[in-house]
Amino acid sequence: MEQHTDSRYQPEQYVEIILPEWAKNATVYELNIRQFSEEGSFRAVERELPRLKKMGIDIIWLMPVHPIGKLHRKGYLGSYYSVKDYFGINPEFGTEEDFRNLIQAIHEAGMYVIIDWVANHTSWDNTIVEDHPEWYRKSRKDTFQSTRWRDYDDIIELDYSHSELRKYMTEALKFWIREYDIDGYRCDIASFVPIDFWENAREELDAIKPVFMLAEAEDRELHRKAFDATYNWTLWNILHQLALNERSVKILTEAYIAEHVSIFPKEGIRLNFIDNHDKNSWEGDQYTNFRDALNIATVFTVMMDGMPLVYSGQEAGLDRSLEFFEKDPIDWKYSENEALYTTLFSLKHKNKALWNGKYGGEMVRIVNDRMDQVISFVREKEGDKVLAFMNLSNKPVTVQFDTSFDTGIYTNLFTGDQQKVPETMILTMDPWKYVILHHEQ
């Protein structure tokens, strides 16, 4: 059959940016500098880099490193996201030299670093307030205003209808790449800032070096020309509902994954997480009572199409939200979580089926006879293969899987045993239990 040459009938690639090669199988660690140690400094972070590298972390995301505003500050130390100077270093964390040394150490460890960027708003006493008050949104009373409909009274919102502001912010973004050799940004509430600003900024940043850009947003459109990765808030909410036994697994499979594999751009990446600095519901008794559910949710975020995130302290079994405006150091103690992440990330690095975006394999359902409780799927890429069988419920189950397309000998990820997969496989699974099988070409 002849192929039409008319451009109207040719498929177009939606994503026009290129993911840095080093991010193709990367993991992310969100680092809360203030709470990461008693010292709360860049130097203290540097000492822990070998441990993070050993755990399998590739990208260190540093929460905002800029000076914090004092006017209308929340709490004693204030919010990282109330930025006073886009070109400065927060003295709470150390000196400019300390920051340079940390970036160099991260790179020498074979990891990459992105920093948090707050483009939507500034502190009340930011350096540009007096010089360019016209760059800010005004209320009906013609006064500075916080982010509309939110209780963020320590910040005031910028107005991106001003081309001069766009140039200033773009130059600030370029400054940290040129001056400190960082590798990209995590951009706070990115969808609150016009998308055409981000698209141009990405083009200018890539002209300096290939960058990795993460948006705190779920908008599909952000992937076209601006961001490599976006947040997976939807997955977090669904996993939480499953842990509380509020919904059937079908809310995950039929309402979410079916849509994800159908409409989400393959070149795009979702950031998968069970915790971050403003989303933690696994606290206190809930953490203890739902530990098994938390573990299977952790495994799923790595098996799922996307890039897994670890938040500071998660690997130590942190069972509470950290204070945001005060000093509240993490209680570092032994936890099996770190070993779990190390095992999962080792597989992600070597098995192409679990790689990110277009480099990884699609999630393909393995049909089973208890699909209201159990999710089962296969991911495959260039001969590498992963099979996941997961009882996402609080009830034991004996389940039959149609594995006729996936017969063969695999390695059990958590036992190391060789396991034969026949055309029909039957497993008896305790609540919240999982079996992960893999082989590599």
Side-chain angles (χ1 to χ4, degrees):
M1 180 181 293
E2 286 189 21
Q3 187 173 0
H4 285 284
T5 57
D6 190 325
S7 62
R8 293 176 299 173
Y9 305 116
Q10 298 304 311
E12 294 183 1
Q13 183 169 310
Y14 182 76
V15 175
E16 299 181 27
I17 55 175
I18 298 174
L19 178 75
E21 194 275 338
W22 49 262
K24 66 186 179 185
N25 60 350
T27 62
V28 185
Y29 189 90
E30 180 186 4
L31 206 147
N32 187 329
I33 304 166
R34 176 183 291 164
Q35 317 300 15
F36 194 67
S37 65
E38 290 283 351
E39 185 181 335
S41 68
F42 295 132
R43 290 183 179 182
V45 171
E46 191 174 337
R47 291 194 291 268
E48 291 297 313
L49 293 179
R51 178 180 66 81
L52 296 177
K53 176 66 175 178
K54 184 178 179 181
M55 190 169 74
I57 298 300
D58 302 296
I59 301 173
I60 303 290
W61 152 22
L62 298 175
M63 290 174 69
V65 299
H66 307 105
I68 295 170
K70 294 182 178 179
L71 185 60
H72 304 308
R73 173 180 284 192
K74 286 182 177 287
Y76 180 72
L77 295 175
S79 168
Y80 305 124
Y81 295 89
S82 179
V83 175
K84 186 177 182 180
D85 178 6
Y86 285 107
F87 293 87
I89 293 286
N90 185 350
E92 176 189 344
F93 303 146
T95 66
E96 201 176 293
E97 182 181 5
D98 292 335
F99 183 68
R100 289 185 190 279
N101 290 340
L102 175 58
I103 301 305
Q104 182 178 349
I106 290 171
H107 287 157
E108 288 177 351
M111 296 185 286
Y112 297 83
V113 58
I114 62 177
I115 65 172
D116 227 317
W117 196 260
V118 188
N120 177 69
H121 52 262
T122 75
S123 70
W124 285 79
D125 49 359
N126 188 283
T127 54
I128 62 175
V129 172
E130 288 191 14
D131 294 338
H132 295 286
E134 73 279 8
W135 288 359
Y136 289 85
R137 291 187 181 275
K138 302 299 193 303
S139 69
R140 291 190 294 173
K141 297 178 181 179
D142 198 33
T143 59
F144 294 121
Q145 65 175 15
S146 174
T147 302
R148 290 157 290 173
W149 293 83
R150 288 194 174 179
D151 181 24
Y152 295 162
D153 52 13
D154 61 334
I155 56 93
I156 48 179
E157 194 171 29
L158 290 163
D159 180 357
Y160 277 79
S161 65
H162 297 277
S163 59
E164 298 87 354
L165 168 61
R166 291 176 175 231
K167 180 173 175 57
Y168 172 89
M169 193 64 72
T170 305
E171 291 301 320
L173 286 162
K174 290 159 68 175
F175 168 83
W176 291 88
I177 292 174
R178 285 174 169 156
E179 187 67 21
Y180 294 98
D181 196 29
I182 67 165
D183 302 297
Y185 293 95
R186 177 269 186 187
C187 297
D188 189 58
I189 53 174
S191 57
F192 284 37
V193 176
I195 192 170
D196 57 336
F197 164 78
W198 292 121
E199 290 179 347
N200 176 72
R202 175 61 183 261
E203 185 176 352
E204 293 200 39
L205 296 178
D206 271 342
I208 302 171
K209 66 182 287 189
V211 293
F212 176 77
M213 298 290 284
L214 165 62
E216 187 200 11
E218 276 192 314
D219 308 57
R220 179 180 185 269
E221 292 78 12
L222 289 169
H223 287 278
R224 191 168 67 94
K225 292 183 179 182
F227 290 94
D228 302 289
T230 52
Y231 269 45
N232 206 340
W233 295 117
T234 302
L235 180 62
W236 182 94
N237 283 313
I238 290 173
L239 291 175
H240 186 227
Q241 290 173 7
L242 291 174
L244 297 177
N245 305 301
E246 294 176 346
R247 304 294 292 269
S248 155
V249 168
K250 289 186 177 181
I251 187 67
L252 174 62
T253 55
E254 298 184 9
Y256 176 66
I257 295 177
E259 180 177 306
H260 173 81
V261 299
S262 298
I263 72 171
F264 189 73
K266 183 58 182 171
E267 295 82 7
I269 299 168
R270 285 295 196 208
L271 186 76
N272 299 333
F273 55 88
I274 55 171
D275 189 11
N276 62 38
H277 70 262
D278 60 1
K279 202 73 168 178
N280 182 351
S281 64
W282 311 89
E283 303 189 73
D285 291 340
Q286 229 186 31
Y287 181 89
T288 302
N289 296 337
F290 294 99
R291 188 183 299 272
D292 288 341
L294 180 60
N295 282 344
I296 197 171
T298 298
V299 174
F300 185 81
T301 59
V302 182
M303 296 301 109
M304 168 78 188
D305 182 18
M307 183 180 287
L309 168 75
V310 181
Y311 179 50
S312 302
Q314 235 180 290
E315 71 272 39
L318 185 67
D319 60 354
R320 60 184 174 83
S321 295
L322 297 168
E323 292 291 334
F324 209 73
F325 312 116
E326 313 291 347
K327 184 66 178 171
D328 182 23
I330 296 164
D331 179 17
W332 290 104
K333 55 190 177 184
Y334 172 76
S335 169
E336 295 178 352
N337 291 10
E338 187 162 343
L340 177 61
Y341 282 119
T342 302
T343 299
L344 290 169
F345 293 165
S346 175
L347 180 63
K348 182 176 178 68
H349 287 145
K350 71 181 180 181
N351 192 298
K352 293 180 181 180
L354 298 182
W355 286 10
N356 301 320
K358 69 177 183 180
Y359 295 98
E362 180 182 327
M363 297 176 72
V364 177
R365 172 181 268 186
I366 294 175
V367 175
N368 68 69
D369 62 353
R370 298 301 297 269
M371 289 198 287
D372 58 334
Q373 287 179 255
V374 176
I375 181 172
S376 47
F377 58 90
V378 57
R379 297 183 65 190
E380 185 173 10
K381 187 76 171 185
E382 297 177 6
D384 289 358
K385 206 166 185 178
V386 174
L387 276 62
F389 309 95
M390 312 181 82
N391 179 11
L392 280 162
S393 78
N394 67 344
K395 296 180 176 63
V397 62
T398 296
V399 57
Q400 180 174 300
F401 303 92
D402 176 7
T403 46
S404 56
F405 288 95
D406 303 298
T407 58
I409 304 297
Y410 296 80
T411 301
N412 185 306
L413 178 62
F414 294 103
T415 68
D417 296 334
Q418 296 295 295
Q419 185 163 336
K420 182 179 180 180
V421 173
E423 292 197 354
T424 299
M425 190 163 74
I426 299 174
L427 293 175
T428 297
M429 307 181 78
D430 290 334
W432 310 116
K433 295 305 178 184
Y434 45 86
V435 174
I436 306 298
L437 306 177
H438 66 95
H439 72 64
E440 287 74 47
Q441 182 68 31

